[in-house]
Amino acid sequence: SPPNVFASNEVVRLAKREGVVVLLNGQGADELLGGYSKFLLPYVAQLLRRGHLLRALSAARGRKPLRKKGPAALLTESLRYWLRAGAASASMGDGRSSKKERQQAVVNLCLSEDFVTATEDELPERFSSKMSDMFKRRLHVALFGFHLPHYLRIEDRNSMEHSIESRLPFLDHRIAEFAFSLPSDLFMQGGTNKVLLRECMAGILPDAVRLRTDKFGFPVPFQRWIMERLYGQIRE
């Protein structure tokens, strides 16, 4: 959202003012390692598909900050996700991307619709549902479709505006390729997200940070601004 973009720009501006010339940013970690709550659905759906009912139930009963819904509702929605994913795969047997996915390519990769249509045979690599693992397929879409390309464009423009180099270590192609070579169970377990990263950081990060379950983005008190400091200007 615009307030978040503005806040990110202010962070970079402050870093520049303090003499910082290189920033490390965690962009891509959630998309690559399963950090968002929306990834729980395809993960549970994948467990159901493979017949791992007890593990699917354990994931559905997992920690509430990620789960957000009751176990029965999450299992039902995961089953629907599985059925929809199967129908999409069947209808896209030729590997061509759907209309919605083509639209995402236009919006998120800043491509013209004519270009996307003309090069559609090149898009399935990123936007088709050919990948058999539903969880990794969802990660793939997040990395190349929605939202990461948009976030990276903002990161690039904000850092360039202030002549700062922004490095994104999680998006090193070697890390991404390695992550996609691993089984999905290393990403989520029992409803806990980013298990792979949590385990890798054992003994490096304090457990209070490493094992925390509450998650939020880059919070901006936009509603408070509107109702308090900016209320008079907006009302006028």
Side-chain angles (χ1 to χ4, degrees), residues 53-200:
L53 300 182
L54 291 179
R55 286 163 60 190
L57 181 60
S58 174
R61 287 175 171 171
R63 298 173 178 176
K64 192 173 181 179
L66 182 65
R67 178 167 49 82
K68 295 184 179 180
K69 297 183 179 180
L74 198 147
L75 285 172
T76 300
E77 197 166 341
S78 297
L79 182 59
R80 290 173 180 164
Y81 187 100
W82 174 18
L83 296 175
R84 287 197 304 268
S89 295
S91 65
M92 294 168 60
D94 60 354
R96 295 179 71 80
S97 52
S98 69
K99 181 178 180 180
K100 183 177 180 180
E101 288 167 333
R102 291 196 299 274
Q103 290 172 344
Q104 286 182 345
V106 171
V107 174
N108 293 294
L109 298 183
C110 303
L111 305 177
S112 72
E113 192 150 6
D114 288 343
F115 179 83
V116 171
T117 301
T119 61
E120 187 170 356
D121 289 339
E122 304 299 324
L123 288 176
E125 178 75 20
R126 293 182 173 183
F127 293 96
S128 80
S129 60
K130 291 171 66 177
M131 194 176 293
S132 60
D133 188 312
M134 287 183 286
F135 175 73
K136 287 187 179 177
R137 185 193 310 165
R138 189 65 188 85
L139 296 185
H140 205 261
V141 171
L143 279 167
F144 293 107
F146 187 77
H147 299 271
L148 187 59
H150 175 65
Y151 293 158
L152 294 182
R153 184 169 183 267
I154 293 170
E155 176 76 15
D156 196 38
R157 291 175 67 88
N158 280 344
S159 60
M160 285 195 299
E161 180 181 350
H162 302 287
S163 300
I164 279 186
E165 180 181 347
S166 180
R167 297 181 181 177
L168 312 174
F170 282 106
L171 292 178
D172 186 304
H173 72 92
R174 294 164 295 186
I175 294 178
E177 290 163 5
F178 176 66
F180 269 86
S181 73
L182 298 173
S184 299
D185 290 343
L186 293 180
F187 295 79
M188 285 191 176
Q189 290 178 8
T192 300
N193 63 340
K194 296 172 87 169
V195 173
L196 178 64
L197 183 60
R198 294 178 192 271
E199 293 300 315
C200 287

